[in-house]
Structures are given as C-alpha cells and as structure tokens.
Amino acid sequence: MKKFLACALALTLTSAMFASCGSSDDSSSSKAEAKTTTTTTAATTTAAPESTADSTAASGTESEGEAAKDISEMPATLKNYEEASVYFKKDMDVASIVEPFAEKDYENDESHVNLSIEELAGVPMLKVEVLDQDNGNYKIPKIKFHMEKFFEGHEADLEKIFTIKADVVTKAVGEFTGDDGVSSLVPGNFMGAFVTQPTTGEGENSWNDLYDFGEAEWTSEWGSYELTMRPGIKDGATFVNSTEPQYVSLMRWGIPNQADFYIADLRFEDEDGNVIACANFGK
C-alpha cells in the first residue's frame, strides 16, 4: 500500500505539473510542445515516443526479500563515468554553469534549491538540494545547464550532439511514511523531465521535452539511474553553433519526503555514438 499510494500521488503530481513546467525563457513553448505522455509504475517507464529515450535503474526497485544496498556500492552503478563529457569538481564555479528556474520569483511550482559540489561515496557530484514545501509535498526542483559554457571556444561541436546522457543518484534525507504508518528512509519516486532548450536566434529558447522518466527506489537509502534523450531525431531539438545561451534542463516532480538528487556526469554523443569532449570539464 505504501508504494501504491506514493506512485498514485506521483502520477497525480506529474499530470498536474505538465502545464507549469516551462522555462523562464519560454514557458509558453513548454506548454505547447510538451506532447509526450508517460505511463509509470514504481518499476516501469514508458519514454517519450519521439525520443526513443530510456532510463536504467541501476539500484533496482523493491522486491520481496531484497536487502538494502550500502551507498558504497553506488560508484559501480554509474554508466558513463569512465568516459563522460562533463565532470563536476569541488573548485567549480557552480553558478556559472547551472542555475535554477525562478519563474515569477518562485511563485509557481518550482522550488528554491541549493546547488553545490559534494562527494558521494568518493565521487564529486552536483548536488541539488530541494528547499521548499507546498501542502506537505516538496516542490519541484528545476535546473538548467549552460551548454554555451560547456562548449565555449568550440561552439561548432554543439550542433553535432545527437544523444545526451546523465548519471543521476537520488538520496533520501527525510523519511517516507506510508498510509500504514510505517516510516522508512528511502528516496521513493524519481519522476520528471529531461529537456533541450536550443537558442532560436531571436533571444529566446525553444522547449523540447524529449524524455519523461519515472523510476523508484523503496528498499535502499539511495537509487541510481541513467537518463538518456536523443535530440538528434527531432527537428528543432538540437543545439546550434552559437555563443548565445542554450540549455539542457532537468526537473523532478514533487514528492512527499525530502530526497536530494545528484548528477555525477553528463555525456554528449554524436550520431555514431562517439563522445564529444568538453575540454574544460574533463577529468
């Protein structure tokens, strides 16, 4: 019942949030262009059809008799860490490469967040700490990465990006209490959207909701997932050779318990699957 209630709540939140998950640059575009649909349970995902995107739950979901996994096992679950385009380091100027959405000064559904670099099981990651609640649920953390910063000095590589991957880890901070009154320290549902926002060349950015993901972890304190989207197969979703701001955006729908998430790396691939390096952000 605990898992069923939480999933039903998350699905309700997902439906409610589609209309308001736009960007500070072009929120009307998100409402008009977010045409994908997702059917999700605690262990299955239907990805946006035009993206052929996918997600891999590395930590597994709740099953009978499954034991909790220690956080020390987490680094081995990261799919792209050996050869990624962007790594996060403690001496990074975080604010220069990633920022939160702040539509109407956080009056909408987005949450204030703290963005920092923190080591998790020895791996430096971008930590997204969610701060705000609304009616007992934590509001929606929405962040956007500045692609023009990652590709500064080699902007021509931006238009080569066909596939984007991210290794993401969720970690419980507060306990989830089910309808049976039982509490456990688990991150629960991890549901949200993975988006590209290339420049239109007119001082605005388009909104391309390429992957609506849904996973969950109900056994361990943490969960590990690979998110994948393929902007190369959708007209208008790819980045352009420009120094103007362009973004990869990630948001997680609201949940009842506090669970932060961490981004270990970003990987950009060309149409043949070759990694596109970002020289200033490598290991």
Side-chain angles (χ1 to χ4, degrees):
M1 282 298 294
K2 172 178 68 178
K3 181 163 65 177
F4 174 81
L5 175 64
C7 289
L9 172 61
L11 285 169
T12 300
L13 287 168
T14 302
S15 299
M17 300 310 175
F18 272 123
S20 58
C21 67
S23 73
S24 57
D25 301 291
D26 189 6
S27 60
S28 61
S29 294
S30 75
K31 297 173 185 176
E33 297 183 29
K35 300 176 182 177
T36 60
T37 56
T38 304
T39 303
T40 310
T41 68
T44 63
T45 300
T46 300
E50 70 265 24
S51 70
T52 64
D54 53 70
S55 168
T56 303
S59 64
T61 54
E62 183 179 32
S63 62
E64 187 174 353
E66 184 178 355
K69 297 181 179 181
D70 189 82
I71 192 66
S72 62
E73 299 181 36
M74 181 275 297
T77 70
L78 303 177
K79 303 292 186 181
N80 303 291
Y81 202 74
E82 290 301 313
E83 193 177 5
S85 305
V86 174
Y87 295 93
F88 299 96
K89 302 175 183 178
K90 286 187 173 181
D91 60 353
M92 257 181 184
D93 179 8
V94 174
S96 70
I97 58 171
V98 59
E99 62 180 288
F101 288 64
E103 296 177 289
K104 297 183 179 179
D105 194 25
Y106 298 97
E107 290 182 3
N108 290 342
D109 57 13
E110 68 273 9
S111 174
H112 288 81
V113 296
N114 278 335
L115 299 172
S116 61
I117 306 299
E118 180 179 305
E119 279 196 9
L120 196 61
V123 180
M125 299 186 181
L126 174 68
K127 178 182 179 181
V128 183
E129 181 183 6
V130 186
L131 302 178
D132 298 335
Q133 290 191 31
D134 185 18
N135 295 324
N137 291 313
Y138 281 87
K139 295 177 69 176
I140 299 177
K142 306 178 184 181
I143 62 171
K144 54 185 180 181
F145 292 98
H146 282 264
M147 295 294 286
E148 79 281 3
K149 299 293 187 181
F150 291 150
F151 287 86
E152 186 172 6
H154 56 113
E155 289 83 4
D157 286 337
L158 280 161
E159 56 190 4
K160 299 177 184 177
I161 298 173
F162 189 89
T163 301
I164 301 173
K165 299 179 180 180
D167 285 312
V168 182
V169 175
T170 61
K171 186 174 182 294
V173 179
E175 291 190 334
F176 171 79
T177 303
D179 58 341
D180 55 3
V182 176
S183 297
S184 53
L185 190 64
V186 293
N189 289 311
F190 180 54
M191 306 172 70
F194 207 16
V195 177
T196 66
Q197 293 181 261
T199 179
T200 63
E202 300 176 355
E204 297 180 340
N205 297 84
S206 66
W207 180 270
N208 304 280
D209 184 347
L210 295 178
Y211 180 44
D212 300 313
F213 55 86
E215 301 287 355
E217 174 53 67
W218 295 99
T219 302
S220 304
E221 181 184 353
W222 60 279
S224 179
Y225 311 100
E226 179 190 45
L227 305 182
T228 301
M229 63 175 168
R230 299 181 177 89
I233 68 170
K234 181 182 178 183
D235 290 343
T238 54
F239 297 100
V240 299
N241 182 355
S242 174
T243 58
E244 293 184 17
Q246 303 184 77
Y247 309 105
V248 164
S249 298
L250 176 63
M251 57 195 67
R252 185 203 69 192
W253 307 145
I255 55 175
N257 56 310
Q258 186 177 4
D260 300 329
F261 66 90
Y262 297 75
I263 301 172
D265 53 63
L266 293 169
R267 177 176 169 128
F268 308 119
E269 298 178 355
D270 64 18
E271 190 170 2
D272 296 321
N274 301 308
V275 177
I276 302 172
C278 295
N280 295 328
F281 296 90
K283 281 187 176 180

